[in-house]
Amino acid sequence: MQVVEVQTTTPPPPTPNVDGKEGYWMNIDDSDSPNKFIQYVDEASKQDQIIAHTRYSTRQLNLNFGQKVMDVGCGAGKDLSRLESMVESQGQVFGMDISREMVECAKSRMSHLPNVTVFCGDAASIPIENNYFDAIRCERLLQHVPSPDQVISEMVRVTKSGGRIVVTDVDWSSTTISIPKSIEKINRIILNEVIFNAHPTIGIQLKGRMKKNPQIENIELFAQCLYTDSLNMADEFLWLGERGKMAVSQGLISEEEYNLWRETIEQMEEEGSFVFTMNIFTVSGSKK
Ligand SMILES: C[S@@+](CC[C@H](N)C(=O)[O-])C[C@H]1O[C@@H](n2cnc3c(N)ncnc32)[C@H](O)[C@@H]1O
C-alpha cells in the first residue's frame, strides 16, 4: 500500500503544552516556558510502558562495543546514557535536537560521559556526512516534523550500509476510553477528529513510510498498548482533557457536549471504571 503524504504550506497545527496554552514541539525555544516541555519528556521517561518500549527499540539497534549511534530529536537526553552503555567507552553517541533548551539540558546531564556529544540541528537536514553511523533512532519525533519521509531519508543517508534505522511513534487516533453509549459520538469526535499535531496517526503509518524508502530492508514492526486507569494520568500525559477542550475551540463539539463528556468520564473515574488505551509502534530496518 502506498502512503500518500499531504503537503501543507501552513505550519503544523499547535500542540498543547502542559499549561494548556498552545505551543509547538517543533519550536520549544520560543514558548513561554521551555522547562514545561523538559518536565513533560522527563515524566514520560518514568512511565513503565515507555521504558519497556524504549528497551525494545534500543535493542533493535543491534549495537556493539565501539560503534557510532545517533538519537535524532533526543529531547532532554532520556536515552543517551542507555545508548552509551551499549557502545561503551570506545563507542560514540550523538544526540541532536532542534531545541537549544533541550540540547543544553541533555548536554549538562551527559557531561560525565565524554563519548556523548549533544548538538542542535534539524532532523530534516542532519549536518553529518553520508554513511557515518552504525545505527540511528528517533522516538516520538516524527509526529512533530513537517515531512516525516524527509527525516527518514536523512536518517538513512547518514547510516552505513548494513546499519540499523529504528523509529518509534504513537498513533493518537488509536486512543480508546471506556465510555457509555450516550457519549459515544462526542467521544469519537474528540479522539479522532481534533487536529492535534502535525501527524497524529504517524505510528500506524511508520511501516508504510519505512517500506517506501528504497534503501531500507528487513523491516520489522512492533506495537504495544499504552494504557492507564487514571484520568489524571490521561489528562497530564496523554492530553485527554486538552483534546476535549480543543474539540470545542476547533468548533467540532459544543461546550455543553464537552461538559457532558467530561462529567461522564469524571464519574467513571470516581466509580473506578475509567480505562484509557493508545498504541505505540516501533519499526526497524537495515540500510541496504
Ligand atoms: C516528544 S519530544 C521526544 C524527545 C525524546 N526523543 C524522548 O523520547 O524523550 C520531541 C522532540 O523532538 C524535537 N524536535 C522537533 N522537531 C525537530 C526537528 N525538526 N529536528 C530535531 N528535533 C526536533 C523537539 O525539540 C523535542 O525535543
Side-chain angles (χ1 to χ4, degrees), residues 24-29 37 40-42 44-45 50 54 71-79 96-100 102 121-125 137-146 151:
Y24 292 93
W25 276 99
M26 54 179 289
N27 209 358
I28 292 169
D29 298 343
F37 289 84
Y40 179 82
V41 289
D42 281 352
S45 72
I50 295 278
T54 304
D71 190 7
V72 187
C74 65
K78 140 173 123 62
D79 301 311
M96 188 186 84
D97 200 281
I98 203 162
S99 157
R100 244 183 0 263
M102 285 289 182
D122 185 349
S125 169
R137 76 183 296 269
C138 67
E139 180 171 326
R140 292 176 298 118
L141 162 73
L142 294 182
Q143 61 182 287
H144 302 297
V145 299
V151 171

Side-chain angles (χ1 to χ4, degrees), residues 190-220:
I190 292 171
L191 299 185
N192 295 324
E193 291 182 26
V194 170
I195 298 174
F196 189 61
N197 62 24
H199 304 279
T201 59
I202 190 80
I204 194 94
Q205 299 171 14
L206 284 181
K207 183 160 185 258
R209 287 180 184 265
M210 291 274 275
K211 196 93 191 153
K212 203 165 79 170
N213 187 305
Q215 284 185 280
I216 306 177
E217 62 183 2
N218 306 326
I219 292 174
E220 281 175 77

Side-chain angles (χ1 to χ4, degrees), residues 13-16 22 189-197 200 242-255:
T15 56
E22 287 180 349
I189 293 171
I190 292 171
L191 299 185
N192 295 324
E193 291 182 26
V194 170
I195 298 174
F196 189 61
N197 62 24
E242 280 306 319
R243 288 159 83 180
K245 289 180 200 153
M246 287 171 86
V248 179
S249 65
Q250 290 176 14
L252 299 169
I253 58 170
S254 67
E255 199 129 337

